[in-house]
Amino acid sequence: MRLEAITWDRLAEQLADRLAGLEPADGGAWPRVGFDGAPAARPGDLAERVGEALRVRGRPSLVVDAEGFLRPASLRLEHGRRDAESYYGGWFDTGALWREVFGPLDPGGSGRVLPDLWDPATDRATRSPYVQLPPGGILLLHGPLLLRHWFPFDLTVHLLLSPAALRRHTPEAEHWTLPAFERYASETDPAGTADVLVRADDPRHPAWSG
């Protein structure tokens, strides 16, 4: 796939232009966009930039971090703190994401989204209030391993790191997660299935598929 160099600001503007006309495939009122990538690729930074660019265009959006829906430590750390299999398949409360984020944005839904559920630092519920996303408002969900869960995204963006860059940009204390991303690339092929691909090996000089 041919990629072209771009700045992060320009990338956010281009994506916002594309999203401004995005219509939900299911006929609902709220487009849903996924920003997928390992933490080292910082997908949340791009989601926030796009949200700001949409705001300037008068299009409401809500940025949601999938890591706000981690399962309690007693569940996600059942097999130890450095179990790559658990990280791959058991750290995120996908049921809660379906119930609290995607369900309210189904056709005929309420539009009331819970922006986060669990604080991994305190291992307690966040007790955040629900956010009312108006019709036409866009969900911008970011996090790792998103494309393996069949979430009903209307557009997906994958931030790609080569294996060497992923290892280089991941803190050494988190290198135990690398086999999970290797498996994800093999089983899900996010670089080949996402609607938009962004290569972020050099954080100063991204490139994208356009």
Side-chain angles (χ1 to χ4, degrees):
M1 179 181 295
R2 182 186 178 91
L3 300 178
E4 62 181 61
I6 194 169
T7 66
W8 289 111
D9 287 340
R10 184 61 178 157
L11 175 58
E13 294 290 332
Q14 293 273 17
L15 287 173
D17 286 342
R18 184 167 176 176
L19 298 183
L22 183 65
E23 297 291 339
D26 61 8
W30 301 277
R32 297 143 300 190
V33 181
F35 291 82
D36 175 65
R42 306 179 69 88
D45 288 359
L46 181 57
E48 293 284 357
R49 286 174 184 263
V50 172
E52 176 59 22
L54 287 168
R55 186 192 66 79
V56 172
R57 288 162 172 75
R59 188 77 184 262
S61 65
L62 176 64
V63 178
V64 174
D65 184 352
E67 294 201 352
F69 289 84
L70 289 174
R71 302 170 76 197
S74 60
L75 297 176
R76 71 177 188 274
L77 304 180
E78 182 180 3
H79 300 288
R81 293 182 175 274
R82 297 191 173 192
D83 186 80
E85 289 294 313
S86 294
Y87 180 75
Y88 186 75
W91 270 45
F92 294 89
D93 190 343
T94 55
L97 279 166
W98 279 103
R99 183 179 67 251
E100 302 290 358
V101 178
F102 289 104
L105 305 183
D106 283 341
S110 67
R112 292 180 71 247
V113 174
L114 189 66
D116 52 60
L117 179 64
W118 201 259
D119 184 342
T122 63
D123 201 35
R124 295 178 182 272
T126 57
R127 303 187 184 279
S128 296
Y130 283 86
V131 175
Q132 185 68 50
L133 192 60
I138 303 176
L139 170 69
L140 307 175
L141 176 67
H142 65 88
L145 312 173
L146 292 181
L147 303 187
R148 61 179 298 266
H149 298 298
W150 299 98
F151 291 137
F153 292 122
D154 298 294
L155 187 136
T156 54
V157 180
H158 177 64
L159 282 80
L160 174 67
L161 293 174
S162 68
L166 177 59
R167 175 172 290 275
R168 186 168 62 251
H169 294 303
T170 299
E172 186 172 352
E174 297 173 14
H175 277 190
W176 63 270
T177 64
L178 298 180
F181 291 107
E182 182 179 357
R183 178 180 173 186
Y184 180 55
S186 174
E187 294 185 353
T188 306
D189 186 23
T193 57
D195 298 303
V196 176
L197 179 63
V198 179
R199 179 173 284 280
D201 285 2
D202 184 343
R204 299 166 299 176
H205 303 291
W208 78 314
S209 59

